[in-house]
mmCIF file with all atom_site columns, all heavy atoms in Angstrom:
data_model
loop_
_atom_site.group_PDB
_atom_site.id
_atom_site.type_symbol
_atom_site.label_atom_id
_atom_site.label_alt_id
_atom_site.label_comp_id
_atom_site.label_asym_id
_atom_site.label_entity_id
_atom_site.label_seq_id
_atom_site.pdbx_PDB_ins_code
_atom_site.Cartn_x
_atom_site.Cartn_y
_atom_site.Cartn_z
_atom_site.occupancy
_atom_site.B_iso_or_equiv
_atom_site.pdbx_formal_charge
_atom_site.auth_seq_id
_atom_site.auth_comp_id
_atom_site.auth_asym_id
_atom_site.auth_atom_id
_atom_site.pdbx_PDB_model_num
ATOM 1   N N   . CYS A 1 1  ? 0.839   -1.204 -0.001  1.00 77.00 ? 12 CYS A N   1
ATOM 2   C CA  . CYS A 1 1  ? 0.026   0.039  0.018   1.00 77.00 ? 12 CYS A CA  1
ATOM 3   C C   . CYS A 1 1  ? 0.907   1.198  -0.006  1.00 77.00 ? 12 CYS A C   1
ATOM 4   O O   . CYS A 1 1  ? 1.941   1.362  0.728   1.00 77.00 ? 12 CYS A O   1
ATOM 5   C CB  . CYS A 1 1  ? -0.873  -0.031 1.278   1.00 77.00 ? 12 CYS A CB  1
ATOM 6   S SG  . CYS A 1 1  ? -2.053  -1.437 1.216   1.00 77.00 ? 12 CYS A SG  1
ATOM 7   N N   . ALA A 1 2  ? 0.449   2.210  -0.817  1.00 72.00 ? 13 ALA A N   1
ATOM 8   C CA  . ALA A 1 2  ? 1.255   3.490  -0.888  1.00 72.00 ? 13 ALA A CA  1
ATOM 9   C C   . ALA A 1 2  ? 0.938   4.332  0.296   1.00 72.00 ? 13 ALA A C   1
ATOM 10  O O   . ALA A 1 2  ? -0.153  4.247  0.875   1.00 72.00 ? 13 ALA A O   1
ATOM 11  C CB  . ALA A 1 2  ? 0.750   4.204  -2.194  1.00 72.00 ? 13 ALA A CB  1
ATOM 12  N N   . SER A 1 3  ? 1.968   5.120  0.698   1.00 76.00 ? 14 SER A N   1
ATOM 13  C CA  . SER A 1 3  ? 1.816   6.032  1.847   1.00 76.00 ? 14 SER A CA  1
ATOM 14  C C   . SER A 1 3  ? 1.673   7.440  1.017   1.00 76.00 ? 14 SER A C   1
ATOM 15  O O   . SER A 1 3  ? 2.687   7.908  0.466   1.00 76.00 ? 14 SER A O   1
ATOM 16  C CB  . SER A 1 3  ? 2.988   5.934  2.727   1.00 76.00 ? 14 SER A CB  1
ATOM 17  O OG  . SER A 1 3  ? 2.880   7.008  3.718   1.00 76.00 ? 14 SER A OG  1
ATOM 18  N N   . TRP A 1 4  ? 0.487   7.971  1.036   1.00 84.00 ? 15 TRP A N   1
ATOM 19  C CA  . TRP A 1 4  ? 0.261   9.193  0.293   1.00 84.00 ? 15 TRP A CA  1
ATOM 20  C C   . TRP A 1 4  ? 0.618   10.434 0.987   1.00 84.00 ? 15 TRP A C   1
ATOM 21  O O   . TRP A 1 4  ? 0.326   10.613 2.173   1.00 84.00 ? 15 TRP A O   1
ATOM 22  C CB  . TRP A 1 4  ? -1.198  9.319  -0.158  1.00 84.00 ? 15 TRP A CB  1
ATOM 23  C CG  . TRP A 1 4  ? -1.570  8.127  -0.891  1.00 84.00 ? 15 TRP A CG  1
ATOM 24  C CD1 . TRP A 1 4  ? -2.504  7.064  -0.558  1.00 84.00 ? 15 TRP A CD1 1
ATOM 25  C CD2 . TRP A 1 4  ? -1.207  7.862  -2.326  1.00 84.00 ? 15 TRP A CD2 1
ATOM 26  N NE1 . TRP A 1 4  ? -2.589  6.160  -1.474  1.00 84.00 ? 15 TRP A NE1 1
ATOM 27  C CE2 . TRP A 1 4  ? -1.899  6.565  -2.638  1.00 84.00 ? 15 TRP A CE2 1
ATOM 28  C CE3 . TRP A 1 4  ? -0.449  8.439  -3.225  1.00 84.00 ? 15 TRP A CE3 1
ATOM 29  C CZ2 . TRP A 1 4  ? -1.700  5.979  -3.868  1.00 84.00 ? 15 TRP A CZ2 1
ATOM 30  C CZ3 . TRP A 1 4  ? -0.346  7.829  -4.522  1.00 84.00 ? 15 TRP A CZ3 1
ATOM 31  C CH2 . TRP A 1 4  ? -0.989  6.681  -4.773  1.00 84.00 ? 15 TRP A CH2 1
ATOM 32  N N   . ALA A 1 5  ? 1.251   11.422 0.384   1.00 86.00 ? 16 ALA A N   1
ATOM 33  C CA  . ALA A 1 5  ? 1.534   12.706 0.934   1.00 86.00 ? 16 ALA A CA  1
ATOM 34  C C   . ALA A 1 5  ? 0.229   13.489 1.096   1.00 86.00 ? 16 ALA A C   1
ATOM 35  O O   . ALA A 1 5  ? -0.727  13.280 0.399   1.00 86.00 ? 16 ALA A O   1
ATOM 36  C CB  . ALA A 1 5  ? 2.406   13.544 0.023   1.00 86.00 ? 16 ALA A CB  1
ATOM 37  N N   . SER A 1 6  ? 0.108   14.294 2.142   1.00 89.00 ? 17 SER A N   1
ATOM 38  C CA  . SER A 1 6  ? -1.043  15.108 2.397   1.00 89.00 ? 17 SER A CA  1
ATOM 39  C C   . SER A 1 6  ? -0.697  16.558 2.078   1.00 89.00 ? 17 SER A C   1
ATOM 40  O O   . SER A 1 6  ? 0.344   17.053 2.523   1.00 89.00 ? 17 SER A O   1
ATOM 41  C CB  . SER A 1 6  ? -1.422  14.953 3.920   1.00 89.00 ? 17 SER A CB  1
ATOM 42  O OG  . SER A 1 6  ? -2.558  15.695 4.092   1.00 89.00 ? 17 SER A OG  1
ATOM 43  N N   . TYR A 1 7  ? -1.608  17.169 1.405   1.00 94.00 ? 18 TYR A N   1
ATOM 44  C CA  . TYR A 1 7  ? -1.381  18.601 1.039   1.00 94.00 ? 18 TYR A CA  1
ATOM 45  C C   . TYR A 1 7  ? -2.380  19.482 1.632   1.00 94.00 ? 18 TYR A C   1
ATOM 46  O O   . TYR A 1 7  ? -3.548  19.175 1.618   1.00 94.00 ? 18 TYR A O   1
ATOM 47  C CB  . TYR A 1 7  ? -1.444  18.809 -0.600  1.00 94.00 ? 18 TYR A CB  1
ATOM 48  C CG  . TYR A 1 7  ? -0.375  17.935 -1.255  1.00 94.00 ? 18 TYR A CG  1
ATOM 49  C CD1 . TYR A 1 7  ? -0.637  16.669 -1.748  1.00 94.00 ? 18 TYR A CD1 1
ATOM 50  C CD2 . TYR A 1 7  ? 0.891   18.500 -1.439  1.00 94.00 ? 18 TYR A CD2 1
ATOM 51  C CE1 . TYR A 1 7  ? 0.431   15.940 -2.335  1.00 94.00 ? 18 TYR A CE1 1
ATOM 52  C CE2 . TYR A 1 7  ? 1.887   17.729 -2.075  1.00 94.00 ? 18 TYR A CE2 1
ATOM 53  C CZ  . TYR A 1 7  ? 1.687   16.433 -2.490  1.00 94.00 ? 18 TYR A CZ  1
ATOM 54  O OH  . TYR A 1 7  ? 2.625   15.756 -3.099  1.00 94.00 ? 18 TYR A OH  1
ATOM 55  N N   . SER A 1 8  ? -2.039  20.642 2.187   1.00 94.00 ? 19 SER A N   1
ATOM 56  C CA  . SER A 1 8  ? -2.972  21.532 2.752   1.00 94.00 ? 19 SER A CA  1
ATOM 57  C C   . SER A 1 8  ? -3.363  22.725 1.817   1.00 94.00 ? 19 SER A C   1
ATOM 58  O O   . SER A 1 8  ? -4.249  23.479 2.203   1.00 94.00 ? 19 SER A O   1
ATOM 59  C CB  . SER A 1 8  ? -2.379  22.073 4.094   1.00 94.00 ? 19 SER A CB  1
ATOM 60  O OG  . SER A 1 8  ? -1.157  22.807 3.860   1.00 94.00 ? 19 SER A OG  1
ATOM 61  N N   . SER A 1 9  ? -2.691  22.795 0.705   1.00 95.00 ? 20 SER A N   1
ATOM 62  C CA  . SER A 1 9  ? -3.072  23.995 -0.265  1.00 95.00 ? 20 SER A CA  1
ATOM 63  C C   . SER A 1 9  ? -2.756  23.676 -1.640  1.00 95.00 ? 20 SER A C   1
ATOM 64  O O   . SER A 1 9  ? -1.997  22.710 -1.942  1.00 95.00 ? 20 SER A O   1
ATOM 65  C CB  . SER A 1 9  ? -2.119  25.187 0.114   1.00 95.00 ? 20 SER A CB  1
ATOM 66  O OG  . SER A 1 9  ? -0.774  25.008 -0.166  1.00 95.00 ? 20 SER A OG  1
ATOM 67  N N   . ASP A 1 10 ? -3.417  24.338 -2.535  1.00 95.00 ? 21 ASP A N   1
ATOM 68  C CA  . ASP A 1 10 ? -3.186  24.140 -3.939  1.00 95.00 ? 21 ASP A CA  1
ATOM 69  C C   . ASP A 1 10 ? -1.749  24.528 -4.370  1.00 95.00 ? 21 ASP A C   1
ATOM 70  O O   . ASP A 1 10 ? -1.135  23.943 -5.340  1.00 95.00 ? 21 ASP A O   1
ATOM 71  C CB  . ASP A 1 10 ? -4.120  25.012 -4.783  1.00 95.00 ? 21 ASP A CB  1
ATOM 72  C CG  . ASP A 1 10 ? -5.479  24.370 -4.841  1.00 95.00 ? 21 ASP A CG  1
ATOM 73  O OD1 . ASP A 1 10 ? -5.732  23.219 -4.336  1.00 95.00 ? 21 ASP A OD1 1
ATOM 74  O OD2 . ASP A 1 10 ? -6.467  25.038 -5.381  1.00 95.00 ? 21 ASP A OD2 1
ATOM 75  N N   . GLU A 1 11 ? -1.094  25.472 -3.662  1.00 96.00 ? 22 GLU A N   1
ATOM 76  C CA  . GLU A 1 11 ? 0.281   25.841 -3.855  1.00 96.00 ? 22 GLU A CA  1
ATOM 77  C C   . GLU A 1 11 ? 1.194   24.593 -3.680  1.00 96.00 ? 22 GLU A C   1
ATOM 78  O O   . GLU A 1 11 ? 2.063   24.338 -4.412  1.00 96.00 ? 22 GLU A O   1
ATOM 79  C CB  . GLU A 1 11 ? 0.724   27.114 -2.981  1.00 96.00 ? 22 GLU A CB  1
ATOM 80  C CG  . GLU A 1 11 ? 0.082   28.290 -3.374  1.00 96.00 ? 22 GLU A CG  1
ATOM 81  C CD  . GLU A 1 11 ? -1.381  28.501 -2.923  1.00 96.00 ? 22 GLU A CD  1
ATOM 82  O OE1 . GLU A 1 11 ? -1.804  27.743 -1.927  1.00 96.00 ? 22 GLU A OE1 1
ATOM 83  O OE2 . GLU A 1 11 ? -2.076  29.202 -3.553  1.00 96.00 ? 22 GLU A OE2 1
ATOM 84  N N   . GLU A 1 12 ? 0.922   23.886 -2.584  1.00 96.00 ? 23 GLU A N   1
ATOM 85  C CA  . GLU A 1 12 ? 1.747   22.599 -2.300  1.00 96.00 ? 23 GLU A CA  1
ATOM 86  C C   . GLU A 1 12 ? 1.517   21.596 -3.329  1.00 96.00 ? 23 GLU A C   1
ATOM 87  O O   . GLU A 1 12 ? 2.388   20.934 -3.751  1.00 96.00 ? 23 GLU A O   1
ATOM 88  C CB  . GLU A 1 12 ? 1.350   22.062 -0.817  1.00 96.00 ? 23 GLU A CB  1
ATOM 89  C CG  . GLU A 1 12 ? 1.918   22.895 0.278   1.00 96.00 ? 23 GLU A CG  1
ATOM 90  C CD  . GLU A 1 12 ? 1.497   22.394 1.673   1.00 96.00 ? 23 GLU A CD  1
ATOM 91  O OE1 . GLU A 1 12 ? 0.868   21.247 1.685   1.00 96.00 ? 23 GLU A OE1 1
ATOM 92  O OE2 . GLU A 1 12 ? 1.803   22.965 2.688   1.00 96.00 ? 23 GLU A OE2 1
ATOM 93  N N   . ARG A 1 13 ? 0.310   21.385 -3.769  1.00 97.00 ? 24 ARG A N   1
ATOM 94  C CA  . ARG A 1 13 ? -0.102  20.449 -4.799  1.00 97.00 ? 24 ARG A CA  1
ATOM 95  C C   . ARG A 1 13 ? 0.652   20.831 -6.060  1.00 97.00 ? 24 ARG A C   1
ATOM 96  O O   . ARG A 1 13 ? 1.221   19.976 -6.728  1.00 97.00 ? 24 ARG A O   1
ATOM 97  C CB  . ARG A 1 13 ? -1.587  20.348 -5.053  1.00 97.00 ? 24 ARG A CB  1
ATOM 98  C CG  . ARG A 1 13 ? -2.309  19.782 -3.911  1.00 97.00 ? 24 ARG A CG  1
ATOM 99  C CD  . ARG A 1 13 ? -3.891  19.825 -4.130  1.00 97.00 ? 24 ARG A CD  1
ATOM 100 N NE  . ARG A 1 13 ? -4.580  19.512 -2.893  1.00 97.00 ? 24 ARG A NE  1
ATOM 101 C CZ  . ARG A 1 13 ? -5.008  20.412 -1.989  1.00 97.00 ? 24 ARG A CZ  1
ATOM 102 N NH1 . ARG A 1 13 ? -4.770  21.670 -2.166  1.00 97.00 ? 24 ARG A NH1 1
ATOM 103 N NH2 . ARG A 1 13 ? -5.657  19.972 -0.918  1.00 97.00 ? 24 ARG A NH2 1
ATOM 104 N N   . ALA A 1 14 ? 0.612   22.065 -6.452  1.00 97.00 ? 25 ALA A N   1
ATOM 105 C CA  . ALA A 1 14 ? 1.205   22.509 -7.726  1.00 97.00 ? 25 ALA A CA  1
ATOM 106 C C   . ALA A 1 14 ? 2.763   22.433 -7.597  1.00 97.00 ? 25 ALA A C   1
ATOM 107 O O   . ALA A 1 14 ? 3.424   22.031 -8.603  1.00 97.00 ? 25 ALA A O   1
ATOM 108 C CB  . ALA A 1 14 ? 0.808   24.018 -7.911  1.00 97.00 ? 25 ALA A CB  1
ATOM 109 N N   . ARG A 1 15 ? 3.355   22.614 -6.465  1.00 97.00 ? 26 ARG A N   1
ATOM 110 C CA  . ARG A 1 15 ? 4.752   22.439 -6.326  1.00 97.00 ? 26 ARG A CA  1
ATOM 111 C C   . ARG A 1 15 ? 5.247   21.039 -6.671  1.00 97.00 ? 26 ARG A C   1
ATOM 112 O O   . ARG A 1 15 ? 6.256   20.840 -7.295  1.00 97.00 ? 26 ARG A O   1
ATOM 113 C CB  . ARG A 1 15 ? 5.186   22.782 -4.839  1.00 97.00 ? 26 ARG A CB  1
ATOM 114 C CG  . ARG A 1 15 ? 6.681   22.597 -4.566  1.00 97.00 ? 26 ARG A CG  1
ATOM 115 C CD  . ARG A 1 15 ? 6.979   22.542 -3.124  1.00 97.00 ? 26 ARG A CD  1
ATOM 116 N NE  . ARG A 1 15 ? 6.357   21.338 -2.552  1.00 97.00 ? 26 ARG A NE  1
ATOM 117 C CZ  . ARG A 1 15 ? 5.748   21.320 -1.348  1.00 97.00 ? 26 ARG A CZ  1
ATOM 118 N NH1 . ARG A 1 15 ? 5.737   22.356 -0.566  1.00 97.00 ? 26 ARG A NH1 1
ATOM 119 N NH2 . ARG A 1 15 ? 5.256   20.179 -0.938  1.00 97.00 ? 26 ARG A NH2 1
ATOM 120 N N   . ASP A 1 16 ? 4.474   19.986 -6.264  1.00 96.00 ? 27 ASP A N   1
ATOM 121 C CA  . ASP A 1 16 ? 4.860   18.608 -6.472  1.00 96.00 ? 27 ASP A CA  1
ATOM 122 C C   . ASP A 1 16 ? 4.314   18.022 -7.805  1.00 96.00 ? 27 ASP A C   1
ATOM 123 O O   . ASP A 1 16 ? 4.675   16.855 -8.117  1.00 96.00 ? 27 ASP A O   1
ATOM 124 C CB  . ASP A 1 16 ? 4.359   17.667 -5.319  1.00 96.00 ? 27 ASP A CB  1
ATOM 125 C CG  . ASP A 1 16 ? 5.211   17.893 -4.008  1.00 96.00 ? 27 ASP A CG  1
ATOM 126 O OD1 . ASP A 1 16 ? 6.160   18.658 -4.081  1.00 96.00 ? 27 ASP A OD1 1
ATOM 127 O OD2 . ASP A 1 16 ? 4.882   17.428 -2.999  1.00 96.00 ? 27 ASP A OD2 1
ATOM 128 N N   . ALA A 1 17 ? 3.480   18.719 -8.518  1.00 97.00 ? 28 ALA A N   1
ATOM 129 C CA  . ALA A 1 17 ? 2.880   18.292 -9.783  1.00 97.00 ? 28 ALA A CA  1
ATOM 130 C C   . ALA A 1 17 ? 3.795   18.672 -10.946 1.00 97.00 ? 28 ALA A C   1
ATOM 131 O O   . ALA A 1 17 ? 4.433   19.652 -10.920 1.00 97.00 ? 28 ALA A O   1
ATOM 132 C CB  . ALA A 1 17 ? 1.474   18.886 -9.984  1.00 97.00 ? 28 ALA A CB  1
ATOM 133 N N   . VAL A 1 18 ? 3.797   17.737 -11.959 1.00 98.00 ? 29 VAL A N   1
ATOM 134 C CA  . VAL A 1 18 ? 4.568   18.078 -13.191 1.00 98.00 ? 29 VAL A CA  1
ATOM 135 C C   . VAL A 1 18 ? 3.726   18.884 -14.073 1.00 98.00 ? 29 VAL A C   1
ATOM 136 O O   . VAL A 1 18 ? 4.209   19.690 -14.973 1.00 98.00 ? 29 VAL A O   1
ATOM 137 C CB  . VAL A 1 18 ? 5.083   16.797 -13.930 1.00 98.00 ? 29 VAL A CB  1
ATOM 138 C CG1 . VAL A 1 18 ? 6.055   16.073 -13.097 1.00 98.00 ? 29 VAL A CG1 1
ATOM 139 C CG2 . VAL A 1 18 ? 3.863   15.893 -14.321 1.00 98.00 ? 29 VAL A CG2 1
ATOM 140 N N   . ALA A 1 19 ? 2.425   18.921 -13.896 1.00 98.00 ? 30 ALA A N   1
ATOM 141 C CA  . ALA A 1 19 ? 1.426   19.705 -14.697 1.00 98.00 ? 30 ALA A CA  1
ATOM 142 C C   . ALA A 1 19 ? 0.268   19.988 -13.900 1.00 98.00 ? 30 ALA A C   1
ATOM 143 O O   . ALA A 1 19 ? -0.144  19.175 -12.988 1.00 98.00 ? 30 ALA A O   1
ATOM 144 C CB  . ALA A 1 19 ? 1.008   18.976 -15.972 1.00 98.00 ? 30 ALA A CB  1
ATOM 145 N N   . VAL A 1 20 ? -0.293  21.254 -14.006 1.00 98.00 ? 31 VAL A N   1
ATOM 146 C CA  . VAL A 1 20 ? -1.596  21.582 -13.455 1.00 98.00 ? 31 VAL A CA  1
ATOM 147 C C   . VAL A 1 20 ? -2.340  22.187 -14.571 1.00 98.00 ? 31 VAL A C   1
ATOM 148 O O   . VAL A 1 20 ? -1.956  23.145 -15.275 1.00 98.00 ? 31 VAL A O   1
ATOM 149 C CB  . VAL A 1 20 ? -1.336  22.697 -12.334 1.00 98.00 ? 31 VAL A CB  1
ATOM 150 C CG1 . VAL A 1 20 ? -2.638  23.105 -11.733 1.00 98.00 ? 31 VAL A CG1 1
ATOM 151 C CG2 . VAL A 1 20 ? -0.393  22.163 -11.240 1.00 98.00 ? 31 VAL A CG2 1
ATOM 152 N N   . VAL A 1 21 ? -3.519  21.565 -14.719 1.00 98.00 ? 32 VAL A N   1
ATOM 153 C CA  . VAL A 1 21 ? -4.416  21.993 -15.864 1.00 98.00 ? 32 VAL A CA  1
ATOM 154 C C   . VAL A 1 21 ? -5.844  22.229 -15.419 1.00 98.00 ? 32 VAL A C   1
ATOM 155 O O   . VAL A 1 21 ? -6.248  21.600 -14.377 1.00 98.00 ? 32 VAL A O   1
ATOM 156 C CB  . VAL A 1 21 ? -4.403  20.978 -17.047 1.00 98.00 ? 32 VAL A CB  1
ATOM 157 C CG1 . VAL A 1 21 ? -2.989  20.930 -17.569 1.00 98.00 ? 32 VAL A CG1 1
ATOM 158 C CG2 . VAL A 1 21 ? -4.996  19.639 -16.628 1.00 98.00 ? 32 VAL A CG2 1
ATOM 159 N N   . VAL A 1 22 ? -6.558  22.976 -16.065 1.00 98.00 ? 33 VAL A N   1
ATOM 160 C CA  . VAL A 1 22 ? -8.029  23.088 -15.861 1.00 98.00 ? 33 VAL A CA  1
ATOM 161 C C   . VAL A 1 22 ? -8.711  22.458 -16.989 1.00 98.00 ? 33 VAL A C   1
ATOM 162 O O   . VAL A 1 22 ? -8.254  22.658 -18.207 1.00 98.00 ? 33 VAL A O   1
ATOM 163 C CB  . VAL A 1 22 ? -8.448  24.544 -15.677 1.00 98.00 ? 33 VAL A CB  1
ATOM 164 C CG1 . VAL A 1 22 ? -9.940  24.671 -15.554 1.00 98.00 ? 33 VAL A CG1 1
ATOM 165 C CG2 . VAL A 1 22 ? -7.819  25.177 -14.410 1.00 98.00 ? 33 VAL A CG2 1
ATOM 166 N N   . THR A 1 23 ? -9.783  21.612 -16.808 1.00 97.00 ? 34 THR A N   1
ATOM 167 C CA  . THR A 1 23 ? -10.503 20.957 -17.787 1.00 97.00 ? 34 THR A CA  1
ATOM 168 C C   . THR A 1 23 ? -11.956 21.074 -17.537 1.00 97.00 ? 34 THR A C   1
ATOM 169 O O   . THR A 1 23 ? -12.455 21.153 -16.418 1.00 97.00 ? 34 THR A O   1
ATOM 170 C CB  . THR A 1 23 ? -10.118 19.432 -17.881 1.00 97.00 ? 34 THR A CB  1
ATOM 171 O OG1 . THR A 1 23 ? -10.828 18.882 -18.978 1.00 97.00 ? 34 THR A OG1 1
ATOM 172 C CG2 . THR A 1 23 ? -10.484 18.718 -16.607 1.00 97.00 ? 34 THR A CG2 1
ATOM 173 N N   . ASP A 1 24 ? -12.638 21.099 -18.639 1.00 92.00 ? 35 ASP A N   1
ATOM 174 C CA  . ASP A 1 24 ? -14.162 21.017 -18.505 1.00 92.00 ? 35 ASP A CA  1
ATOM 175 C C   . ASP A 1 24 ? -14.717 19.869 -19.369 1.00 92.00 ? 35 ASP A C   1
ATOM 176 O O   . ASP A 1 24 ? -15.894 19.780 -19.657 1.00 92.00 ? 35 ASP A O   1
ATOM 177 C CB  . ASP A 1 24 ? -14.843 22.388 -18.884 1.00 92.00 ? 35 ASP A CB  1
ATOM 178 C CG  . ASP A 1 24 ? -14.416 22.915 -20.180 1.00 92.00 ? 35 ASP A CG  1
ATOM 179 O OD1 . ASP A 1 24 ? -13.692 22.215 -21.040 1.00 92.00 ? 35 ASP A OD1 1
ATOM 180 O OD2 . ASP A 1 24 ? -14.753 24.073 -20.521 1.00 92.00 ? 35 ASP A OD2 1
ATOM 181 N N   . GLY A 1 25 ? -13.755 19.062 -19.835 1.00 90.00 ? 36 GLY A N   1
ATOM 182 C CA  . GLY A 1 25 ? -14.089 17.930 -20.669 1.00 90.00 ? 36 GLY A CA  1
ATOM 183 C C   . GLY A 1 25 ? -13.393 16.643 -20.265 1.00 90.00 ? 36 GLY A C   1
ATOM 184 O O   . GLY A 1 25 ? -12.197 16.569 -20.482 1.00 90.00 ? 36 GLY A O   1
ATOM 185 N N   . VAL A 1 26 ? -14.075 15.735 -19.636 1.00 96.00 ? 37 VAL A N   1
ATOM 186 C CA  . VAL A 1 26 ? -13.559 14.488 -19.160 1.00 96.00 ? 37 VAL A CA  1
ATOM 187 C C   . VAL A 1 26 ? -14.309 13.325 -19.790 1.00 96.00 ? 37 VAL A C   1
ATOM 188 O O   . VAL A 1 26 ? -15.528 13.328 -19.668 1.00 96.00 ? 37 VAL A O   1
ATOM 189 C CB  . VAL A 1 26 ? -13.521 14.365 -17.611 1.00 96.00 ? 37 VAL A CB  1
ATOM 190 C CG1 . VAL A 1 26 ? -13.050 13.035 -17.158 1.00 96.00 ? 37 VAL A CG1 1
ATOM 191 C CG2 . VAL A 1 26 ? -12.766 15.510 -17.034 1.00 96.00 ? 37 VAL A CG2 1
ATOM 192 N N   . GLU A 1 27 ? -13.647 12.371 -20.414 1.00 96.00 ? 38 GLU A N   1
ATOM 193 C CA  . GLU A 1 27 ? -14.315 11.319 -21.034 1.00 96.00 ? 38 GLU A CA  1
ATOM 194 C C   . GLU A 1 27 ? -13.645 9.981  -20.644 1.00 96.00 ? 38 GLU A C   1
ATOM 195 O O   . GLU A 1 27 ? -12.372 9.927  -20.654 1.00 96.00 ? 38 GLU A O   1
ATOM 196 C CB  . GLU A 1 27 ? -14.170 11.469 -22.599 1.00 96.00 ? 38 GLU A CB  1
ATOM 197 C CG  . GLU A 1 27 ? -14.857 10.449 -23.495 1.00 96.00 ? 38 GLU A CG  1
ATOM 198 C CD  . GLU A 1 27 ? -14.667 10.746 -24.864 1.00 96.00 ? 38 GLU A CD  1
ATOM 199 O OE1 . GLU A 1 27 ? -14.759 11.937 -25.295 1.00 96.00 ? 38 GLU A OE1 1
ATOM 200 O OE2 . GLU A 1 27 ? -14.342 9.750  -25.691 1.00 96.00 ? 38 GLU A OE2 1
#
């Protein structure tokens, strides 16, 4: 089982992400 990091803000999430995108189309 993975041990997941916990993020308290979008800034922390964005720091660890390789990409941050907004979408309105998911299929």
Side-chain angles (χ1 to χ4, degrees):
C12 296
S14 177
W15 301 107
S17 179
Y18 298 94
S19 60
S20 69
D21 283 352
E22 290 76 23
E23 288 179 3
R24 290 176 192 89
R26 178 195 66 219
D27 287 353
V29 297
V31 180
V32 300
V33 174
T34 182
D35 52 9
V37 176
E38 180 182 318

